[in-house]
Amino acid sequence: MKAKNIGVFLAVLWSTLPAMAWCAGPQASTDIAELSRWLAQRQQDSGVVGVSAALVVDGKVVWKQGFGYADKSAGVVMTPGTQVGTGSVTKTFTALAAMQLQEQGVVDIDQPLSRYLPEFRIRTHGEDRSQVTLRRLITHSSGVPTDVFRDMRSDQARYTDVVTLLNRTALAHTPGTVGLYSNAGYNLLGHALAKASGVDYPDYLKQRIFVPSGMKNTGFADDPHAASRSKAYGPDGAEAATFELRDIASGGIYSTAEDLAVMTH
């Protein structure tokens, strides 16, 4: 479990919003110093090995900083340019790709998933499988199970294999009736977008989102990375082996606080 290094600035700022009412106004150096002290204390008190954060106000990066270590044993400090796994923040990029293709007329998010993935034949208990649409995958209301726990590692299967794995299971709910957070659903979505666009999911994100946005140090686990990548740490603070997931369309992006800040411009 990669639980002890956080570089997703959106997550860090979300946790600090209640203490940051002053962010709406001009940023005095004392305000920035207060934020820096507060995050440093939170990082130490929580036992998190490393944190990187950036603050964007009115489309401008007004502050960025790292706390703790990217590699504690080697003494490598955490910086806003340290690359870390973004986890489920990946889903926002997958949804963005879907809406780009919707705008271009390449997909219709209200059409059945089977229009793009005819091999999708998950079992049902009488539900109408055609009601599993791209929109419902985006909004976690498709009825697709939360996940498939077989062949979870990236060296065991690809995100495109999820459709076959799901076909051995059944819908958990009638599509459109229940909100059920689904990593598997987002991998179906990533697969459908790849089929519709003719571009493999990671390549699509790099070509159509990361590069145009100026995200120079954002990619996936197997990519060469210019920025230093953080080590993974367990809940006890001990270094842990990385566990790269098959499900790249739901949680496979690596990025930096600096790059994620670019997306708010």
Side-chain angles (χ1 to χ4, degrees), residues 5 10 24 58 67 71 83 98 109 113-114 134 136 150 162 183 190-191 197 232 247 251 258 264:
N5 258 22
L10 294 175
D58 295 331
F67 304 87
D71 184 339
Q83 198 180 61
I109 63 173
L113 172 65
S114 57
L134 301 191
R136 286 176 173 155
R150 179 179 177 180
V162 171
N183 289 314
H191 190 180
S197 67
D247 298 342
E258 289 176 335
T264 67

Side-chain angles (χ1 to χ4, degrees), residues 32-174:
I32 296 297
E34 181 181 349
L35 173 60
S36 178
R37 285 193 298 271
W38 187 85
L39 276 176
Q41 192 63 54
R42 285 292 298 272
Q43 181 258 324
Q44 293 175 19
D45 292 346
S46 67
V48 171
V49 176
V51 173
S52 59
L55 176 61
V56 181
V57 178
D58 295 331
K60 297 180 180 180
V61 179
V62 298
W63 169 83
K64 57 186 178 181
Q65 191 172 342
F67 304 87
Y69 295 94
D71 184 339
K72 190 173 182 179
S73 63
V76 178
V77 298
M78 196 76 160
T79 75
T82 301
Q83 198 180 61
V84 299
T86 67
S88 284
V89 172
T90 298
K91 293 181 176 68
T92 63
F93 289 88
T94 306
L96 174 58
M99 298 316 296
Q100 283 183 339
L101 292 171
Q102 166 83 2
E103 186 175 56
Q104 295 164 16
V106 176
V107 301
D108 180 342
I109 63 173
D110 290 311
Q111 290 297 311
L113 172 65
S114 57
R115 174 172 176 174
Y116 307 102
L117 295 179
E119 63 269 37
F120 175 69
R121 299 193 178 279
I122 193 169
R123 299 170 186 171
T124 72
H125 302 291
E127 302 92 348
D128 183 357
R129 192 188 298 118
S130 70
Q131 293 303 303
V132 178
T133 63
L134 301 191
R135 183 188 294 273
R136 286 176 173 155
L137 292 172
I138 293 168
T139 60
H140 296 285
S141 60
S142 68
V144 169
T146 297
D147 220 324
V148 180
F149 296 104
R150 179 179 177 180
D151 298 335
M152 288 286 290
R153 289 184 357 188
S154 62
D155 61 351
Q156 296 172 323
R158 296 191 76 235
Y159 75 100
T160 52
D161 294 322
V162 171
V163 64
T164 302
L165 295 169
L166 279 170
N167 285 349
R168 303 171 187 171
T169 67
L171 286 176
H173 298 283
T174 300

